[in-house]
Coordinates of all heavy atoms in Angstrom, one line a residue:
V452 N 81.5 -120.6 -105.1 CA 82.1 -119.4 -105.8 C 82.2 -118.4 -104.8 O 81.3 -118.2 -103.9 CB 81.1 -119.1 -107.1 CG1 79.8 -118.6 -106.6 CG2 81.7 -117.9 -107.8
V453 N 83.2 -117.5 -104.9 CA 83.5 -116.5 -103.9 C 83.6 -115.2 -104.6 O 84.1 -115.0 -105.7 CB 84.9 -116.8 -103.2 CG1 85.3 -115.8 -102.3 CG2 84.9 -118.2 -102.5
A454 N 83.0 -114.2 -103.9 CA 83.1 -112.8 -104.3 C 83.6 -111.9 -103.2 O 83.4 -112.2 -102.1 CB 81.8 -112.3 -104.8
A455 N 84.2 -110.8 -103.6 CA 84.8 -109.9 -102.6 C 84.4 -108.4 -103.1 O 84.3 -108.2 -104.2 CB 86.3 -110.0 -102.4
A456 N 84.2 -107.6 -102.1 CA 83.9 -106.2 -102.3 C 84.9 -105.4 -101.6 O 85.1 -105.7 -100.3 CB 82.5 -105.8 -102.0
V457 N 85.5 -104.4 -102.1 CA 86.5 -103.6 -101.4 C 86.3 -102.1 -101.6 O 86.1 -101.7 -102.8 CB 87.9 -104.0 -101.8 CG1 89.0 -103.2 -101.2 CG2 88.2 -105.5 -101.7
I458 N 86.4 -101.3 -100.6 CA 86.5 -99.9 -100.7 C 87.9 -99.5 -100.2 O 88.2 -99.6 -99.0 CB 85.4 -99.1 -99.8 CG1 84.0 -99.6 -100.3 CG2 85.6 -97.6 -100.0 CD1 82.9 -99.0 -99.5
L459 N 88.7 -99.0 -101.1 CA 90.0 -98.6 -100.8 C 90.1 -97.2 -100.2 O 89.2 -96.4 -100.4 CB 90.9 -98.6 -102.1 CG 91.3 -100.0 -102.7 CD1 92.0 -99.9 -104.0 CD2 91.9 -100.9 -101.7
D460 N 91.1 -97.0 -99.5 CA 91.4 -95.6 -98.9 C 92.3 -94.9 -99.8 O 93.4 -95.2 -99.9 CB 92.0 -95.8 -97.6 CG 92.3 -94.5 -96.7 OD1 92.1 -93.4 -97.4 OD2 92.7 -94.5 -95.6
D461 N 91.8 -93.8 -100.5 CA 92.6 -93.0 -101.5 C 93.8 -92.4 -100.7 O 94.8 -92.1 -101.4 CB 91.7 -92.0 -102.1 CG 90.7 -92.6 -103.1 OD1 91.0 -93.7 -103.4 OD2 89.7 -91.9 -103.3
L462 N 93.7 -92.2 -99.4 CA 94.8 -91.6 -98.8 C 95.9 -92.5 -98.3 O 96.9 -92.1 -97.7 CB 94.3 -90.7 -97.6 CG 93.4 -89.6 -97.9 CD1 92.9 -88.9 -96.6 CD2 94.0 -88.7 -98.9
N463 N 95.6 -93.8 -98.5 CA 96.5 -94.9 -98.0 C 96.6 -95.9 -99.1 O 96.2 -97.1 -99.0 CB 96.0 -95.5 -96.7 CG 97.0 -96.4 -96.1 OD1 98.2 -96.3 -96.3 ND2 96.5 -97.2 -95.1
P464 N 97.2 -95.5 -100.3 CA 97.2 -96.4 -101.4 C 98.1 -97.6 -101.3 O 99.1 -97.6 -100.5 CB 97.8 -95.5 -102.6 CG 98.6 -94.5 -101.9 CD 97.8 -94.2 -100.6
I465 N 97.6 -98.7 -101.9 CA 98.4 -100.0 -101.9 C 99.1 -100.2 -103.2 O 98.5 -100.2 -104.2 CB 97.4 -101.1 -101.6 CG1 96.6 -100.9 -100.3 CG2 98.1 -102.4 -101.6 CD1 95.6 -101.8 -100.0
Q466 N 100.4 -100.4 -103.2 CA 101.1 -100.6 -104.4 C 101.2 -102.0 -104.8 O 101.0 -103.0 -104.1 CB 102.6 -100.2 -104.1 CG 102.8 -98.8 -103.6 CD 102.4 -97.8 -104.7 OE1 102.6 -97.9 -105.9 NE2 101.6 -96.7 -104.2
G467 N 101.1 -102.2 -106.2 CA 101.2 -103.5 -106.8 C 99.9 -104.2 -107.0 O 99.9 -105.4 -107.4
L468 N 98.8 -103.6 -106.9 CA 97.5 -104.2 -107.2 C 97.4 -104.5 -108.6 O 97.7 -103.7 -109.5 CB 96.4 -103.3 -106.7 CG 96.2 -103.0 -105.2 CD1 95.1 -101.9 -105.0 CD2 95.9 -104.3 -104.4
N469 N 96.8 -105.7 -108.9 CA 96.7 -106.1 -110.2 C 95.6 -107.3 -110.3 O 95.2 -107.8 -109.3 CB 98.0 -106.6 -110.9 CG 97.9 -106.5 -112.4 OD1 97.0 -106.4 -113.1 ND2 99.2 -106.6 -112.9
D470 N 95.3 -107.7 -111.5 CA 94.4 -108.8 -111.7 C 95.1 -110.0 -110.9 O 96.3 -110.2 -111.1 CB 94.3 -109.1 -113.1 CG 93.7 -110.4 -113.4 OD1 93.1 -111.1 -112.5 OD2 93.5 -110.9 -114.7
S471 N 94.4 -110.7 -110.0 CA 95.0 -111.7 -109.2 C 95.7 -112.8 -110.0 O 96.6 -113.4 -109.5 CB 93.9 -112.3 -108.3 OG 92.9 -112.9 -109.0
K472 N 95.1 -113.1 -111.2 CA 95.7 -114.1 -112.0 C 97.1 -113.7 -112.5 O 97.8 -114.6 -113.0 CB 94.8 -114.4 -113.2 CG 93.4 -115.0 -112.8 CD 92.5 -115.3 -113.9 CE 92.1 -114.1 -114.8 NZ 91.2 -113.2 -113.9
K473 N 97.5 -112.5 -112.5 CA 98.8 -112.1 -113.0 C 99.8 -111.9 -111.9 O 101.0 -111.6 -112.1 CB 98.6 -110.7 -113.7 CG 97.7 -110.7 -114.9 CD 97.6 -109.3 -115.5 CE 96.7 -109.4 -116.7 NZ 96.5 -108.0 -117.3
L474 N 99.4 -112.3 -110.7 CA 100.3 -112.2 -109.5 C 100.6 -113.7 -109.0 O 99.9 -114.6 -109.3 CB 99.6 -111.5 -108.4 CG 99.1 -110.1 -108.6 CD1 98.3 -109.6 -107.5 CD2 100.4 -109.2 -108.9
T475 N 101.8 -113.8 -108.5 CA 102.3 -115.1 -107.9 C 101.4 -115.4 -106.7 O 100.9 -114.4 -106.0 CB 103.7 -115.1 -107.6 OG1 104.0 -114.1 -106.5 CG2 104.6 -114.7 -108.7
A476 N 101.4 -116.6 -106.2 CA 100.6 -116.9 -105.0 C 101.2 -116.3 -103.8 O 100.5 -115.7 -102.9 CB 100.6 -118.5 -104.8
K477 N 102.5 -116.1 -103.8 CA 103.1 -115.4 -102.6 C 102.7 -113.9 -102.6 O 102.5 -113.4 -101.5 CB 104.7 -115.7 -102.8 CG 105.4 -115.0 -101.6 CD 106.9 -115.2 -101.7 CE 107.7 -114.6 -100.4 NZ 109.2 -114.8 -100.6
R478 N 102.8 -113.3 -103.8 CA 102.5 -111.9 -103.8 C 101.0 -111.7 -103.5 O 100.6 -110.7 -102.8 CB 102.8 -111.4 -105.3 CG 102.5 -109.9 -105.3 CD 103.3 -109.0 -104.5 NE 103.1 -107.7 -104.6 CZ 103.3 -106.8 -103.7 NH1 103.6 -107.2 -102.5 NH2 103.1 -105.5 -103.9
R479 N 100.1 -112.6 -104.0 CA 98.6 -112.5 -103.5 C 98.5 -112.6 -102.1 O 97.6 -111.8 -101.5 CB 97.9 -113.6 -104.3 CG 97.6 -113.4 -105.7 CD 96.5 -114.3 -106.3 NE 96.8 -115.7 -106.1 CZ 97.3 -116.5 -107.1 NH1 97.7 -115.9 -108.2 NH2 97.5 -117.7 -106.8
E480 N 99.2 -113.5 -101.4 CA 99.1 -113.7 -100.0 C 99.5 -112.4 -99.2 O 98.8 -111.9 -98.3 CB 99.9 -114.8 -99.5 CG 99.4 -116.2 -99.9 CD 98.2 -116.7 -99.0 OE1 98.0 -116.0 -97.9 OE2 97.6 -117.6 -99.4
T481 N 100.5 -111.7 -99.7 CA 101.1 -110.5 -99.1 C 100.1 -109.4 -99.2 O 99.7 -108.7 -98.3 CB 102.4 -110.1 -99.7 OG1 103.4 -111.1 -99.5 CG2 102.9 -108.8 -99.2
L482 N 99.5 -109.3 -100.5 CA 98.5 -108.3 -100.8 C 97.2 -108.5 -100.0 O 96.5 -107.6 -99.7 CB 98.3 -108.1 -102.3 CG 99.5 -107.4 -103.1 CD1 99.3 -107.6 -104.6 CD2 99.6 -105.9 -102.7
F483 N 96.9 -109.7 -99.9 CA 95.6 -110.1 -99.1 C 95.7 -109.5 -97.7 O 94.7 -108.9 -97.3 CB 95.5 -111.6 -99.1 CG 94.3 -112.1 -98.3 CD1 93.1 -112.4 -99.0 CD2 94.4 -112.4 -97.0 CE1 92.0 -112.9 -98.4 CE2 93.3 -112.9 -96.3 CZ 92.1 -113.2 -97.0
D484 N 96.8 -109.6 -97.1 CA 97.0 -109.1 -95.8 C 96.9 -107.5 -95.8 O 96.4 -106.9 -94.9 CB 98.2 -109.7 -95.0 CG 98.1 -111.2 -94.7 OD1 97.0 -111.7 -94.6 OD2 99.1 -111.7 -94.6
E485 N 97.6 -107.0 -96.7 CA 97.7 -105.5 -96.9 C 96.4 -104.9 -97.2 O 96.1 -103.9 -96.5 CB 98.8 -105.2 -97.9 CG 99.2 -103.8 -97.9 CD 100.3 -103.4 -98.8 OE1 100.9 -104.4 -99.4 OE2 100.7 -102.2 -99.0
I486 N 95.6 -105.5 -98.0 CA 94.3 -105.0 -98.3 C 93.4 -105.0 -97.1 O 92.7 -104.0 -96.8 CB 93.7 -105.8 -99.5 CG1 94.4 -105.6 -100.8 CG2 92.2 -105.4 -99.7 CD1 94.2 -106.7 -101.8
R487 N 93.4 -106.1 -96.5 CA 92.6 -106.2 -95.2 C 92.9 -105.2 -94.2 O 92.1 -104.7 -93.4 CB 92.7 -107.7 -94.7 CG 92.0 -108.7 -95.5 CD 92.4 -110.2 -95.1 NE 92.2 -110.4 -93.7 CZ 91.1 -110.9 -93.2 NH1 90.1 -111.3 -94.0 NH2 91.1 -111.2 -91.9
A488 N 94.2 -104.9 -94.1 CA 94.7 -103.9 -93.1 C 94.5 -102.5 -93.5 O 94.3 -101.6 -92.6 CB 96.2 -104.2 -92.8
R489 N 94.5 -102.2 -94.8 CA 94.6 -100.8 -95.2 C 93.4 -100.3 -95.9 O 93.2 -99.1 -96.1 CB 95.8 -100.6 -96.0 CG 97.1 -100.8 -95.3 CD 98.3 -100.8 -96.2 NE 98.6 -99.5 -96.8 CZ 99.5 -99.2 -97.6 NH1 100.4 -100.1 -97.9 NH2 99.7 -98.0 -98.1
A490 N 92.5 -101.2 -96.4 CA 91.3 -100.7 -97.1 C 90.3 -100.1 -96.0 O 90.3 -100.4 -94.8 CB 90.5 -101.9 -97.7
L491 N 89.5 -99.2 -96.5 CA 88.5 -98.6 -95.6 C 87.5 -99.7 -95.1 O 87.1 -99.7 -94.0 CB 87.7 -97.6 -96.4 CG 88.4 -96.3 -96.6 CD1 87.5 -95.3 -97.4 CD2 88.9 -95.6 -95.4
C492 N 87.1 -100.6 -96.0 CA 86.4 -101.8 -95.6 C 86.4 -102.8 -96.7 O 86.7 -102.5 -97.8 CB 84.9 -101.4 -95.1 SG 83.9 -100.7 -96.5
F493 N 86.0 -104.0 -96.4 CA 85.9 -105.1 -97.4 C 85.0 -106.2 -96.8 O 84.7 -106.2 -95.7 CB 87.3 -105.7 -97.6 CG 87.8 -106.5 -96.4 CD1 87.6 -107.8 -96.3 CD2 88.6 -105.9 -95.4 CE1 88.1 -108.6 -95.2 CE2 89.0 -106.5 -94.3 CZ 88.8 -107.9 -94.2
A494 N 84.6 -107.0 -97.7 CA 83.7 -108.1 -97.4 C 83.9 -109.3 -98.4 O 84.2 -109.0 -99.6 CB 82.2 -107.8 -97.4
I495 N 83.9 -110.5 -97.9 CA 84.1 -111.6 -98.7 C 82.8 -112.5 -98.5 O 82.4 -112.8 -97.4 CB 85.3 -112.4 -98.3 CG1 86.5 -111.6 -98.5 CG2 85.4 -113.7 -99.2 CD1 87.8 -112.2 -98.0
A496 N 82.2 -112.9 -99.6 CA 81.0 -113.7 -99.5 C 81.1 -115.0 -100.5 O 81.9 -114.9 -101.4 CB 79.7 -112.9 -99.8
E497 N 80.2 -115.9 -100.2 CA 80.2 -117.2 -101.0 C 78.8 -117.5 -101.5 O 77.8 -117.0 -100.9 CB 80.7 -118.3 -100.2 CG 82.1 -118.2 -99.6 CD 82.5 -119.3 -98.7 OE1 81.7 -120.3 -98.7 OE2 83.5 -119.2 -98.0
A498 N 78.7 -118.2 -102.6 CA 77.5 -119.0 -102.8 C 77.9 -120.5 -103.0 O 78.9 -120.8 -103.6 CB 76.9 -118.6 -104.3
S499 N 77.1 -121.2 -102.2 CA 77.5 -122.6 -102.0 C 77.4 -123.5 -103.2 O 76.7 -123.2 -104.2 CB 76.7 -123.2 -100.9 OG 75.3 -123.4 -101.4
V500 N 78.0 -124.7 -103.1 CA 77.8 -125.7 -104.2 C 76.3 -126.0 -104.4 O 75.9 -126.1 -105.6 CB 78.6 -127.0 -103.8 CG1 78.2 -128.2 -104.7 CG2 80.1 -126.8 -103.9
Q501 N 75.6 -126.2 -103.4 CA 74.2 -126.4 -103.5 C 73.4 -125.3 -104.3 O 72.6 -125.6 -105.1 CB 73.5 -126.6 -102.1 CG 73.9 -127.9 -101.4 CD 75.4 -127.8 -100.9 OE1 75.9 -126.6 -100.6 NE2 76.1 -128.9 -100.6
E502 N 73.8 -124.0 -104.0 CA 73.1 -122.9 -104.6 C 73.6 -122.9 -106.1 O 72.8 -122.6 -107.0 CB 73.6 -121.6 -104.0 CG 72.9 -121.4 -102.6 CD 73.4 -120.2 -101.8 OE1 74.6 -120.0 -101.8 OE2 72.6 -119.6 -101.2
I503 N 74.8 -123.2 -106.4 CA 75.3 -123.3 -107.8 C 74.5 -124.3 -108.6 O 74.0 -124.0 -109.7 CB 76.8 -123.7 -107.9 CG1 77.7 -122.5 -107.2 CG2 77.3 -124.0 -109.2 CD1 79.1 -122.8 -107.0
D504 N 74.3 -125.5 -108.0 CA 73.5 -126.5 -108.7 C 72.0 -126.1 -108.8 O 71.4 -126.6 -109.7 CB 73.7 -127.9 -107.9 CG 75.0 -128.5 -108.1 OD1 75.7 -128.2 -109.1 OD2 75.4 -129.3 -107.3
Q505 N 71.5 -125.3 -107.9 CA 70.1 -124.9 -107.9 C 69.8 -123.8 -108.9 O 68.8 -123.8 -109.6 CB 69.7 -124.5 -106.5 CG 69.5 -125.7 -105.6 CD 69.3 -125.2 -104.1 OE1 69.2 -124.0 -103.8 NE2 69.2 -126.2 -103.2
I506 N 70.7 -122.9 -109.0 CA 70.3 -121.7 -109.7 C 71.3 -121.4 -110.9 O 71.1 -120.4 -111.6 CB 70.2 -120.4 -108.9 CG1 71.6 -120.1 -108.1 CG2 69.1 -120.6 -107.8 CD1 71.5 -118.8 -107.3
N507 N 72.3 -122.1 -111.1 CA 73.4 -122.1 -112.1 C 74.5 -121.2 -111.6 O 74.3 -120.4 -110.7 CB 72.8 -121.8 -113.4 CG 72.4 -120.3 -113.7 OD1 73.2 -119.4 -113.4 ND2 71.3 -120.1 -114.4
I508 N 75.7 -121.4 -112.3 CA 76.8 -120.8 -111.8 C 76.8 -119.2 -112.0 O 77.3 -118.5 -111.1 CB 78.1 -121.4 -112.5 CG1 79.4 -120.7 -111.9 CG2 78.0 -121.3 -114.0 CD1 79.6 -120.9 -110.4

Side-chain angles (χ1 to χ4, degrees):
V452 62
V453 175
V457 180
I458 299 177
L459 293 175
D460 183 354
D461 291 340
L462 299 180
N463 193 14
I465 299 171
Q466 300 299 317
L468 293 174
N469 201 344
D470 174 3
S471 63
K472 296 184 292 295
K473 298 179 180 178
L474 301 170
T475 65
K477 182 177 180 180
R478 183 61 179 151
R479 285 196 299 265
E480 289 281 349
T481 299
L482 285 169
F483 180 88
D484 293 336
E485 192 170 353
I486 293 162
R487 287 165 55 93
R489 297 172 64 181
L491 289 179
C492 64
F493 68 91
I495 302 173
E497 302 173 12
S499 68
V500 170
Q501 292 74 22
E502 288 171 322
I503 292 168
D504 285 339
Q505 289 169 1
I506 62 176
N507 76 47
I508 184 59

